[in-house]
Each structure stands twice: as structure tokens, then as C-alpha cells.
Amino acid sequence: MEATRLRLLSTAFSLILLLDATTAQMPGFVSLDCGGTGNFTDELGLEWTPDDRLIDGKITNISVANETRKQYQTLRYFPADDRKYCYTLEVISRTRYLVRATFLYGNFDNNNVYPKFDISLGATHWATIVISDANTIELQELIFLALDPTISVCLSNATTGQPFISTLELRQFNGSIYLTQYESQFYLSISARINFGADSEAPVRYPDDPFDRIWESDSLRKANYLVDVAVGTEKVSTKIPIDVSSGERPPQKVMQTAVVGRNGSLTYRLNLDGFPGFGWAFTYFAEIEDVGNKSRKFRLVLPGMPDLSKPIVNIEENALGKYRLYEPGYYNISLPFVLSFRFGRTSDSSLGPLLNAMEINKYLKKNDGSVDGSVIASVVSLYSSTDWALEGGDPCLPVPWSWVQCNSDPQPRITKIELSGKNLTGNIPTNLTMLSGLVELWLDGNSLTGQIPDFSGCVDLEIIHLENNQLTGELPSYMAELPNLRELYVQNNKLSGTVPTGLLNNNLVFNYTGNINLYKGGNRGNRNKIIIGSSVGAGVLLVAIIASCLLMHKARKNYSKQGQLEHPMPAQRLVSSLGDAAKDAAHCFTFSEIEDATNKFERKVGSGGFGVVYYGKLIDGKEIAVKVLTSNSYQGKREFSNEVTLLSRIHHRNLVQFLGFCQEEGKSILVYEFMHSGTLKEHLYGPRTYERSISWIKRLEIAEDAAKGIEYLHTGCVPAVIHRDLKTSNILLDKNMHAKVSDFGLSKLAVDGTSHVSSIVRGTVGYLDPEYYISQQLTDKSDVYSFGVILLELISGQEAISNESFGVNCRNIVQWAKLHIENGNIQGIIDLSLGEYDIQSMWKIAEKALMCVQPHGSMRPSMSEVIKEIQDAISIERGAKAAREGNSNSDEISRNSMHSSLNMDLAASENYLSIDESITQPTAR
Ligand SMILES: *[C@@H]1O[C@H](CO)[C@@H](O)[C@H](O)[C@H]1NC(C)=O
Ligand SMILES: *[C@@H]1O[C@H](CO)[C@@H](O)[C@H](O)[C@H]1NC(C)=O
Ligand SMILES: *[C@@H]1O[C@H](CO)[C@@H](O)[C@H](O)[C@H]1NC(C)=O
Ligand SMILES: *[C@@H]1O[C@H](CO)[C@@H](O)[C@H](O)[C@H]1NC(C)=O
Ligand SMILES: *[C@@H]1O[C@H](CO)[C@@H](O)[C@H](O)[C@H]1NC(C)=O
Ligand SMILES: *[C@@H]1O[C@H](CO)[C@@H](O)[C@H](O)[C@H]1NC(C)=O
Ligand SMILES: *[C@@H]1O[C@H](CO)[C@@H](O)[C@H](O)[C@H]1NC(C)=O
């Protein structure tokens, strides 16, 4: 079809950014300074251009201490709605590129919530950007093979804050180092690119690396990234040129430095973002030491992968000489999140191992996007000067364009086109008829001309709106055969001829008034009398349809109301309100019953700020804990009623069961089930620790139990309950060492509808949320803080507050643990009395604990996220435990526990290339 392509807008603006890449300093370099206002060249020689042709979003200036680069003084941000906001960049098909997006938040919106949103490349979810620090640059890189002349990078799905972007960079490769056989289905997402032995913390990049890859310095040790360095590790470097051949091998500057394991070993531990998963991993070696005729032979030792330890690296021999590159690696290897690796000298080698650089990328599965992608692209290309045609990216993924709806197939189809009143002119684009999944088509209120094209292939069409256009020609007869057509509107066009009789049936809502030359079958005299359809029958039908819709609507409403009632609302409905009715719901003990049960308060089993706890036994043999509240803990009867109401409606297997109360003789007494094994505190620090320290797996299980109890308080109770005084002495253990949370003495109902209640700050030093302390605004995140402290205690066996344990100037477990964990030194805080444990599960908990004790509540996870992490840690630990007990003789490295964890992770992989193909020979790139 010759689409008469009319520009409708005099003020045509462009959302798309088509950048001529060849004008940049290197062919194929695009450096977009998002929010910038002018071109400039940075100190590296990279030429930056502003993204000022983008009409979406707003730009703003930011200022971050010690960040002087111009491209980081501005950013562009977008509304936090359900749309996606895309940059479209020109690329050359069949060419490989690196795309890099960076995000420096700089508190641009003065919001106390850090942004979290998604970034996608075309239809593929690339990463979730989680800002956790206003002054740190978040960076994402992907290597891809361009298949189309453009790519789209889109931001969407803001779960907190607003999506924003600081820079977007494109770097074209010219060789094939990153060619893989999986390229058509997977992108490579960069996890680690490390320059070992670097002489400073600054990365090596352009112009040293002509492709501007960023080679991170190994002396820049971030929190638990590149740690556990073996004793005897030394840096070496040379000025002699290195033969790196051509192509995209690491630049000479990277290869001129290395680390050497003087004591025979090089060890490192890395956290690999995005893993566990399958990845592309290469190491780069060049002999740069003057070794005379001494030999240097070593092996890679990856715990749990004995096969990988067979091949021997002899750099000089493998590279065919000194100062030459040797680059063994794996195109497809399964790696864990926490990767510990070692290079170890062979027994006949006189020198320890040497390592210059390494690169690890994760395979990211591509999403092929909507099946209608290319068809709709041919349609929107006809309207390239209108904003709706330039939304960019895939029509359906990750979220659909604003005027499109899609189904939820893995490869979605377009089901609805909504272009009413968009000033469309010319013919209806024929390619729309190729959208075979179309259910609704809205093209009304435009200036479309010509005939109605053949939609007979769109058999799912139910609703067609073509009214108020300038369409001419006949109403096509296929319309009567569309099996699902329910509504057809063509009024106010210039259609002519006769209406196909098949359309004049009672099941179709059909309006064709206002077409002067359109006649009802063979009856020219009767034109234009028909408002809808042709008979009274249809009118009745319409009324019927409307009525039935209303009825359905109503029915659905009722249904959903019922649905709500069925929602779990724990015992709350049993208790109608405060006061006597409430007390009826809880069992009321008489004082003499209590006296008998406790044998006149004979055995004291505990005490706290709120009273003394006595052991008791009811007549039926049930053991109870009787808590006699000190007189001033409740100001009056009403407060006590509140408490009893609250307690009586909370039932959960991980909460200590409330059995009843007694209010006589001026005493307020609460009765609970008796917990045989005492408090968690006693087991961690008390005399009981000398009996037997609790194992790591047991600690994890206790944490899970307690977390579930707290989660129930936060989400299972209506209104939610905030504990306010979580601590190890409030976590009780039963005979079987299952944990339950106790002591709701400080609980307050969270006020419905708002996220906090204001009240006098109460809680226990060491566990108290600092934000709550300052603001007096209580939220469930205050409990999360306290729980984070408990997790740290479980890891370390240290009390929350101690004058001795944590060194000078630090009394607090949070500061102390944070310092260690962020420096990657988790070993420094682990309880010495723990037996074997798996380091990966330990890391998981340590990292989650740090999240829980973040200064701002909004940055802390919810209890359900915490539970998920604990459960993951438990399954890792169980797997590792099974492995420990299964094969006890494979002690390749000293830290047995670490070994087994990786063993488990890697055992699952069968997919890595065999040694012979890859590591023994330099890979044929
Ligand atoms: C900025 O650079 C781009 C491409 O590098 C060029 O097309 C544009 O004209 C330049 N703008 C100005 C104002 O110099
Ligand atoms: C950002 O700073 C530049 C120059 O420093 C200024 O011209 C511009 O108006 C500022 N933009 C905003 C949005 O404040
Ligand atoms: C900025 O740099 C100065 C000097 O190098 C240093 O003292 C200061 O701590 C840095 N500030 C930040 C926020 O990194
Ligand atoms: C949006 O983000 C949330 C949280 O990260 C995620 O669970 C959800 O799947 C995302 N939605 C889409 C459409 O990607
Ligand atoms: C319709 O789509 C086909 C393939 O999708 C394309 O080759 C053709 O040029 C398109 N026609 C128009 C008029 O855009
Ligand atoms: C359609 O065009 C008219 C006149 O040019 C303009 O005023 C109107 O805003 C346009 N409508 C849309 C939706 O683009
Ligand atoms: C049919 O279309 C005409 C013109 O838009 C309108 O006045 C009339 O109300 C429509 N009939 C029905 C039943 O919607």
C-alpha cells in the first residue's frame, strides 16, 4: 500500500534520539550526558552529547562531593508511572557493542526514599537498579550483538522513587573476542573485569583501552568484593611492551601489571552480581617477571570442580614466550554468587602463580519480545514525527506502549490498538491487518481516508471503532464473517454502497449513521433512519446488554466483597471491641487458680521491666508461665484491657501462646504457655552455652521461626501489630528448640491506614531503631531493625551492647559488624564456638542483617523478604552439610566449609565446556 505519509504536526518534536555514531572520537562511540545541555569533551578525550532531543522526563542538576565530572552533574528523571521511557540509539547490524548505563542519584528529588526501578534493553529485562547510596554511581554493562539498526534502552517499573539516568554509553567492538555460540539467545552482562596488580585505585579505561572497557583496580576493595587475599601476594609490573595481538584483548596497560603468589598461592573471593548462573569467564596471563630459568607452573582450584584443577598453566610455554598473552577460559561455566578461587603452584614448580587480569560475564537470556514487533514497527514508522509513535522499545515488553495492550503470552501479541483522535491522516495502514491477535481496534476521530483494508485475518476482533473519519468505499463483506465481532462503529464517514446483510443481525452493536451514500440492503429509500442496527430488536438488545453488564458489574462487586471477607482476619472478629466483650474472648483465671498453679508463686523463672514470671502447672497438667505485671506497668484497667484484647486474638505457631489473664487483688496477671528451653539469649551467652553451642543450622532455624512470628504480627493481624521490644531474651525455645516470640508487653496496635503511630519511645538499648528514637514514629521497620541486631548476634555470639567486645570507641554490635562485613572480613565476626558452617549461607545472613539495620526504615527489607533470605541460607547450609557428611576427603582448600558450599552449587552444572576444549589450549578466538 502506498501510505500517503502526511506530517500532521507543524511542531513535530522527536522523542527518539538517532545519533550519528561516526562523529564521535572512536567509530561507534556514543556518550550521552543525560540531562546535559551542551557538547563537551571530558579529560579522557570522550566526547559527550546531551540527550536534549528527548522530550520525556525532566532534567536537573545535582552536586555530589568529590564528583567533578561534568556528565555526573546532571541527570534526567521520569515519572513513576506504568509507562516505559526509552532511549533509541542507532547501531550497525551484525556488530557487537558494549552498552553502559550509569546512575548517580545525588538525592536529586530530596526524597528520603531511594529509587528502585528496572532497566531493559529492548524487550529484555536487563537489571533492577537499586540505589542504596546517594553518592555512589551504579553501573550496568551489557555486551550484545546488534541485529537491528537501532536498540532501545528503557526505564520503567519504579517501585520506589522516580526512574532516572545519568549517562548512557555505547562502545562498538570490531573483533570477536566476545563471540559466543549462545549469542543469538543471550546477552553478556558484566560481573567482574579486574586488573590485578594495578598501581592505583583508578580503573584503566579509554584511551588505554580503545574500546573503553573499565578494568577495575584490584586495590579497590569494595565491601566483600575481591577479598580473602592470600598471604604472600605481591604486585609486579613491567614497562616492557606486551604482545596482546590485536582485537579486544586486554589493553597492554592492564597486562603490564600482575599479582604473584610468593608463598605458592593466589586466593580471592568475589561476589558475582547476578550469579549463581552460567557465565563466560576468562583469565589473562603474561609472564612479566624476570624469572631466569626458574619454572612457573600452577593450577586453578575451584572448590568442588576437581576437573578444572587438572590443566596446568605454564604461561611462557602456553603463550609461546615472555611478555605475550595467554588467555585460557570458559565459554560456559556455572558459577556461584560467592566465588572463591585459588591458583596454586604445582609441586614441581619453583615459582608461585601469576595473574594479570580476569573477566567474568553472566549470560542474560534475551527476550524476543512481541511477535508483532516488526509489523507494528512498520506501522509506526509512517508516523515518525508524532510522540505516540516514538515511545521506543518493544510494543509490549517490559510494559506496553501507552496506546497498545498486549496479552500475557511469553511472546506477547498486541490485542488492542487505541489511536482515537490522534490526527491520523491517509489510509488505514494495511499492515495493521497483520496483527492477528487484535481484539479491539480504535481508530475513530481521525482524518483517515481511503477504503477499509482487509481485516479478515484478525479473527479475534470483537470491537472496531472507525467512526468520525473520511473513509470511503464499501463496507467490506468479510466484516459479517468475523466470528467474534460484537461492536462495529463506522458512523460519520463517507462510506457508500449497501450494508452487508450479515451485519444486520441482532447480536451486533452496529452504528453506520452519517454515511450519506451507505444504504441498508437494497432499500435506498430508508437510509439514515437507523440509529443503531436496523430494528427495534437491536435496540432492545442493547438495553439488555447494558443491563446485563450492570448486573455483572454488580455481581462482581459483591463477589469481591465476599472475597475480602474471606481474607484471613485472625480471631479479630471474635473480639468486637475493647472492654468486657474483649475479656470474654480471653480466658479469665481466678487468683486462687493462679496461686494453686504456681504453688503460691514459688518458682521464679524470669523477670523483666514489666514484671516477674513464675512457673506454674494447671490442674490438667499443662505447664504455664505466669507473668505478674508490676503495678506501674499499666496505668489503668483500660490499658490492661487493650493488652488482653490484643493478646487474645493473636495465634501463631511462632508466637508464645497466650492462655488467659487475671485481674484480681490489685494484680494484673498474664498467663502464657511455658517454654522449656528458656530464652535464646541464655543459649547464646548464658551458662547454657557451656553445655553446647547451638549450630549454625539451628541458629538459622531459630531465626526463621522468630521471623515468621514477627511477620505474622506485621501482616497477619488486622490492624498490624508492632512488637517494639524484640531481643534475644524475648525469643523463647521449646523442648524441641523451636522458637517463639514472646512478650507483647510493649506492643501497640499500628494505626490503620497510616504507616506509623506516634508514642513514647520504648524498647531496649542496643535493639532500638535509631530512626524511631529520633522521630518517635513507630513502624514495622523498627522491628526489622531489632531483628537485624538479633541476626548479628546469631552470627557472632556477641551481645548487642558490650563495653569490652567491640574494641575502642564502639559499644554496639551494629557498628562493629558493619565495619567488618563491609570490609569483606566476615570471618572476623563469626562466633568461634560455631562448628562447621557454610560461608555462603553466612554471607547471605550477614548481608541481610546489614540491610535490616540500615539507618532509614524505608531502606530496610520487610520481614517476608528476610524470611526468604533465611530460607535460602537454610537450604544452602543443609546442602553443604549433606556434602560435608558425604565426602569428607576432598580437602582441596583449607576452609572446608567454603568448599562444600561451592561443591553444591557447582555440582548442578554439567554445562561447562570440558577442560580439553578450553583451558588446556588457548581458546581459538
Ligand atoms: C554536538 O555534537 C553532535 C554530534 O557529535 C553534533 O551533531 C551537534 O551539532 C553538536 N552540537 C553543538 C551545539 O555543537
Ligand atoms: C544547571 O546548571 C546550569 C549551569 O550550571 C544552569 O545553566 C542550569 O539552568 C541548571 N539547570 C537546572 C535545571 O537547574
Ligand atoms: C573528598 O575528598 C577529600 C580529599 O581527598 C576527602 O578528604 C573527603 O573525605 C572526600 N569526601 C567524600 C565525601 O568522599
Ligand atoms: C516491577 O518490579 C517489581 C519489584 O522489583 C517486580 O516484582 C515486578 O515483576 C516488576 N514488574 C514488571 C512488569 O517487570
Ligand atoms: C508491511 O510490513 C512488511 C513486513 O512486515 C514490510 O515489508 C512492508 O514494507 C510493510 N508495509 C508498509 C506499507 O509499511
Ligand atoms: C491535532 O491537530 C490539531 C491541529 O493541528 C492540534 O490542535 C491538536 O492538538 C492535534 N491533536 C493531537 C492529539 O495531536
Ligand atoms: C450512532 O452514531 C450517531 C452519530 O455519532 C450518534 O448520534 C448515535 O447516538 C449513535 N447511536 C447509538 C445507539 O449509539
Side-chain angles (χ1 to χ4, degrees), residues 242-349:
I242 311 283
D243 180 2
V244 294
S245 342
S246 55
E248 292 128 9
R249 281 151 183 94
Q252 170 166 296
K253 183 162 181 194
V254 167
M255 294 308 295
Q256 280 174 329
T257 64
V259 285
V260 176
R262 295 285 181 229
N263 293 4
S265 278
L266 286 173
T267 62
Y268 288 96
R269 184 163 56 74
L270 268 173
N271 276 13
L272 292 176
D273 273 344
F275 283 89
F278 290 95
W280 176 106
F282 276 77
T283 43
Y284 302 103
F285 302 106
E287 184 55 79
I288 57 169
E289 272 202 308
D290 199 2
V291 295
N293 50 14
K294 293 203 202 97
S295 64
R296 186 196 301 281
K297 291 199 273 181
F298 54 93
R299 293 186 165 98
L300 170 65
V301 181
L302 272 182
M305 299 177 83
D307 278 355
L308 298 195
S309 307
K310 280 182 203 152
I312 294 171
V313 180
N314 181 337
I315 304 172
E316 245 188 286
E317 206 172 282
N318 296 130
L320 308 173
K322 280 171 66 90
Y323 305 105
R324 290 174 64 91
L325 175 72
Y326 171 53
E327 39 170 344
Y330 294 89
Y331 280 106
N332 190 3
I333 183 171
S334 167
L335 294 172
F337 171 64
V338 180
L339 174 67
S340 287
F341 62 92
R342 181 170 77 99
F343 286 100
R345 171 176 66 191
T346 62
S347 52
D348 61 342
S349 169

Side-chain angles (χ1 to χ4, degrees), residues 201-239:
E201 288 194 352
V204 172
R205 58 181 296 183
Y206 188 82
D208 292 307
D209 185 328
F211 304 101
D212 193 30
R213 286 165 295 184
I214 296 175
W215 297 84
E216 276 190 281
S217 164
D218 67 337
S219 41
L220 185 72
R221 302 237 173 83
K222 288 181 278 184
N224 84 57
Y225 181 81
L226 210 66
V227 290
D228 285 356
V229 181
V231 177
T233 302
E234 266 179 32
K235 292 182 182 185
V236 291
S237 65
T238 182
K239 293 252 179 319

Side-chain angles (χ1 to χ4, degrees), residues 178-191:
Y178 299 108
L179 177 141
T180 75
Q181 67 186 100
Y182 317 101
E183 200 163 37
S184 56
Q185 297 152 50
F186 291 90
Y187 298 127
L188 286 175
S189 156
I190 286 90
S191 287

Side-chain angles (χ1 to χ4, degrees), residues 102-173:
T102 70
F103 308 87
L104 178 59
Y105 172 52
N107 198 24
F108 72 86
D109 53 0
N110 276 320
N111 196 336
N112 51 13
V113 192
Y114 285 155
K116 176 178 172 187
F117 53 90
D118 289 344
I119 181 170
S120 47
L121 179 64
T124 305
H125 178 259
W126 173 359
T128 299
I129 307 299
V130 185
I131 303 300
S132 51
D133 175 23
N135 304 327
T136 303
I137 298 174
E138 287 291 320
L139 181 148
Q140 292 291 336
E141 289 182 318
L142 213 59
I143 292 170
F144 67 96
L145 177 72
L147 298 174
D148 298 312
T150 60
I151 58 150
S152 294
V153 174
C154 306
L155 308 183
S156 65
N157 194 23
T159 39
T160 53
Q162 282 174 275
F164 73 95
I165 183 164
S166 302
T167 70
L168 185 59
E169 297 159 68
L170 202 54
R171 309 288 182 242
Q172 183 186 329
F173 293 123

Side-chain angles (χ1 to χ4, degrees), residues 864-909:
S864 37
E865 289 171 69
V866 176
I867 291 173
K868 204 190 148 288
E869 206 71 11
I870 296 171
Q871 288 170 336
D872 286 354
I874 287 176
S875 65
I876 291 172
E877 179 63 27
R878 286 206 179 116
K881 197 162 167 252
R884 277 199 296 269
E885 281 153 13
N887 55 348
S888 48
N889 56 348
S890 50
D891 290 0
E892 286 280 346
I893 62 170
S894 51
R895 266 169 309 238
N896 197 14
S897 50
M898 198 179 292
H899 183 147
S900 6
S901 81
L902 289 160
N903 199 2
M904 186 202 64
D905 256 33
L906 297 172
S909 74

